[in-house]
């Protein structure tokens, strides 16, 4: 996906606001069923006014997916570039990633629901495979360091761990009874220590 410099917006709406409105519409109606008119209605502008900011719905999808990837890549960069010990980096990564998923929930939902039906979607799925490969490498490093069981395929572990984190974008509500910090702690506990009690482990 190619990046474009943001266009100057009219008073009251900039490209970021248009992208956010588009993602909300995609989230509610699905990408295919969403029209430019629906997005314009959310912003309270005419459909023609949207084209001051973007060329069309496919560009909005590309920009929305770019936003999701930028956030996810930043989270993974933080563990790859950190000078902390691997154990600290690994646990920090889980907490950081959960925070990103909470903040960018509709953007990540859009990414996770892609089916590769257009060049933009196909390119995003390829980029997601690259991200998954980076995740697998992080898990493999943790296995070599003795932090994660080494009798499991690192790609399977990465998919299971990231799948647990990804699932939060479908059901988690920041205004609910579980805070983002509590959610991150729960995911970290599940990933690193499992859910069985010591009594259960002793009886197994």
């Amino acid at each position: 996906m190619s990046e474009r410099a943001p266009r100057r917006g009219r008073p009251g709406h900039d490209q970021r606001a248009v992208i956010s409105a588009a993602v909300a519409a995609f989230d509610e109606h699905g990408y295919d069923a969403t029209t430019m008119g629906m997005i314009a209605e959310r912003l309270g502008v005419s459909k023609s006014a949207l084209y001051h900011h973007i060329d069309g719905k496919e560009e909005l999808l590309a920009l929305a997916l770019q936003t999701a990837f930028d956030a996810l890549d930043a989270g993974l960069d933080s563990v790859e570039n950190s000078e902390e010990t691997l154990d600290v980096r690994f646990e920090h990564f889980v907490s950081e990633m959960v925070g990103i998923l909470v903040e960018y929930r509709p953007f990540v939902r859009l990414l996770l629901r892609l089916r590769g039906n257009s060049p933009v979607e196909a390119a995003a799925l390829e980029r997601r495979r690259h991200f998954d490969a980076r995740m697998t490498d992080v898990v493999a490093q943790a296995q070599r360091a003795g932090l994660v069981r080494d009798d499991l395929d690192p790609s399977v572990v990465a998919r299971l761990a990231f799948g647990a984190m990804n699932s939060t974008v479908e059901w988690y509500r920041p205004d609910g009874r579980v805070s983002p910090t509590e959610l991150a702690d729960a995911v970290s506990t599940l990933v690193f220590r499992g859910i069985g009690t010591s009594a259960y482990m002793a009886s197994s």
Side-chain angles (χ1 to χ4, degrees):
M1 279 177 283
S2 60
E3 296 185 32
R4 296 177 45 169
R7 300 182 187 177
R8 296 178 62 188
R10 292 179 179 176
H13 294 297
D14 57 13
Q15 190 183 74
R16 184 179 297 274
V18 174
I19 295 169
S20 295
V23 170
F26 297 157
D27 197 37
E28 181 176 348
H29 304 288
Y31 173 73
D32 291 335
T34 298
T35 65
M36 293 294 284
M38 291 176 179
I39 298 169
E41 185 176 357
R42 284 178 177 270
L43 291 167
V45 300
S46 66
K47 188 165 66 172
S48 61
L50 289 181
Y51 292 98
H52 177 76
H53 302 281
I54 45 85
D55 292 331
K57 192 172 77 166
E58 190 171 32
E59 185 185 4
L60 281 171
L61 176 63
L63 291 169
L65 294 172
Q66 182 67 47
T67 299
F69 278 120
D70 285 348
L72 293 171
D73 283 341
L76 193 47
D77 288 345
S78 71
V79 70
E80 291 177 336
N81 300 328
S82 173
E83 295 183 357
E84 297 284 357
T85 58
L86 185 59
D87 57 334
V88 172
R89 280 189 284 149
F90 201 46
E91 292 213 29
H92 172 74
F93 168 67
V94 173
S95 178
E96 179 79 5
M97 193 59 65
V98 170
I100 290 169
L101 294 173
V102 168
E103 183 176 356
Y104 291 90
R105 289 188 322 285
F107 290 86
V108 177
R109 277 197 296 266
L110 180 63
L111 172 61
L112 294 177
R113 293 170 181 173
L114 294 181
R115 293 295 179 266
N117 297 328
S118 71
V120 168
E121 293 187 37
L125 289 177
E126 179 59 33
R127 187 169 176 181
R128 183 177 165 189
R129 283 189 284 271
H130 177 66
F131 182 87
D132 289 345
R134 292 175 65 194
M135 283 278 295
T136 297
D137 186 58
V138 170
V139 172
Q141 289 180 48
Q143 288 179 321
R144 289 193 293 270
L147 303 175
V148 175
R149 287 174 49 169
D150 62 4
D151 59 332
L152 300 173
D153 187 296
S155 65
V156 173
V157 175
R159 286 179 180 273
L160 288 173
F162 201 53
M165 290 186 275
N166 281 343
S167 70
T168 63
V169 304
E170 296 290 352
W171 58 264
Y172 180 70
R173 297 293 177 269
D175 57 354
R177 62 185 182 83
V178 178
S179 71
T181 299
E182 290 172 327
L183 177 66
D185 288 345
V187 173
S188 292
T189 297
L190 181 64
V191 169
F192 294 110
R193 285 169 282 281
I195 60 174
T197 65
S198 57
Y200 173 79
M201 297 300 180
S203 65
S204 298

